[in-house]
Amino acid sequence: MLKRNKAAGHDGIVAEHLINCHPVVFVQLKLLFAMMLTHGYVPDDFRSGVIVPVVKDKRGNVKAKDNYRPITLSPIISKLFESVLLFKFSNFMCTDDLQFGFKRGLGCSNAIFALHQCVEYFNDRSSNVHIASLDASKAFDRINHYKLFTTLTRAGLPKFFVDTIVNWYTKVSVIVRWNGCNSLSLAVLSGVRQGGI
């Protein structure tokens, strides 16, 4: 669940801290998570992310902004909370069997195989095949928060779950770290939390 050797968020806590901690810490986290869901409230420290620009091509132009990929570091305890939410409420979050992206064990190669099989089926029967493509690049960065909350409600997720997500997303912010310096805090008004589960 928790990946080792990952950079810490703003709090300096990494997965190894939780993996090697005393079991009483997990009792305290369980109580914290239960209170958060009961009250639909997420601590302010859960909201903060640190964006670190990472060079895509070190042999390329390091002065070009297109040669950088932003990585957001989130607090590990917030990731643990997200994992608990996903585990506890995953039965509400069903996807279509024809969705290949963002599903464990499936990906682009599965989608290409399905497309190939479909085209081959119709070609074997002397039928024309017309294909339309939609580029959903940066789709997760553009998700409307209100639409997200409405979709979660319509999916039948419990009110306390949706209230917790609403509270969390109405105060999400990031800072940018560059050469050891931090920017001012910036509010995130759309998209899902990068660096989260």
Side-chain angles (χ1 to χ4, degrees):
M1 179 183 344
L2 298 175
K3 295 179 181 175
R4 296 175 185 260
N5 301 317
K6 296 290 185 179
H10 68 87
D11 56 5
I13 300 173
V14 294
E16 288 81 359
H17 286 117
L18 295 178
I19 291 167
N20 298 309
C21 72
H22 191 280
V24 75
V25 172
F26 287 103
V27 173
Q28 297 301 317
L29 288 174
K30 179 184 176 198
L31 293 171
L32 172 66
F33 295 167
M35 286 192 308
M36 288 166 58
L37 285 171
T38 299
H39 298 288
Y41 181 83
V42 177
D44 288 346
D45 276 354
F46 276 40
R47 70 183 171 93
S48 302
V50 178
I51 295 177
V52 179
V54 176
V55 177
K56 292 179 187 176
D57 181 8
K58 293 181 181 176
R59 291 169 293 179
N61 182 1
V62 293
K63 293 181 181 178
K65 67 178 172 86
D66 292 339
N67 195 22
Y68 287 87
R69 180 169 49 107
I71 302 294
T72 302
L73 308 174
S74 297
I76 193 68
I77 296 176
S78 73
K79 289 183 179 183
L80 182 62
F81 180 61
E82 285 178 305
S83 295
V84 169
L85 291 178
L86 188 59
F87 175 77
K88 190 169 173 65
F89 298 101
S90 62
N91 57 322
F92 289 96
M93 300 177 207
C94 300
T95 58
D96 192 285
D97 289 339
L98 295 176
Q99 176 182 328
F100 296 102
F102 308 102
K103 291 172 94 170
R104 188 179 305 276
L106 295 175
C108 193
S109 59
N110 302 97
I112 291 169
F113 176 77
L115 175 64
H116 183 270
Q117 292 295 308
C118 183
V119 169
E120 194 173 278
Y121 175 86
F122 286 104
N123 281 341
D124 288 348
R125 287 157 180 77
S126 299
S127 181
N128 292 331
V129 177
H130 302 278
I131 298 173
S133 172
L134 172 67
D135 180 6
S137 65
K138 307 227 183 260
F140 284 99
D141 295 337
R142 296 181 177 141
I143 290 176
N144 177 291
H145 288 170
Y146 178 76
K147 180 69 174 168
L148 173 65
F149 307 148
T150 305
T151 302
L152 292 173
T153 302
R154 287 187 183 144
L157 281 142
K159 184 179 182 316
F160 64 87
F161 176 93
V162 177
D163 288 347
T164 304
I165 300 299
V166 168
N167 180 264
W168 199 340
Y169 272 82
T170 54
K171 55 187 178 184
V172 171
S173 67
V174 294
I175 60 169
V176 178
R177 183 174 295 152
W178 180 261
N179 285 338
C181 297
N182 293 337
S183 72
L184 295 174
S185 183
L186 307 163
V188 178
L189 303 176
S190 66
V192 293
R193 291 181 62 245
Q194 186 188 20
I197 306 297

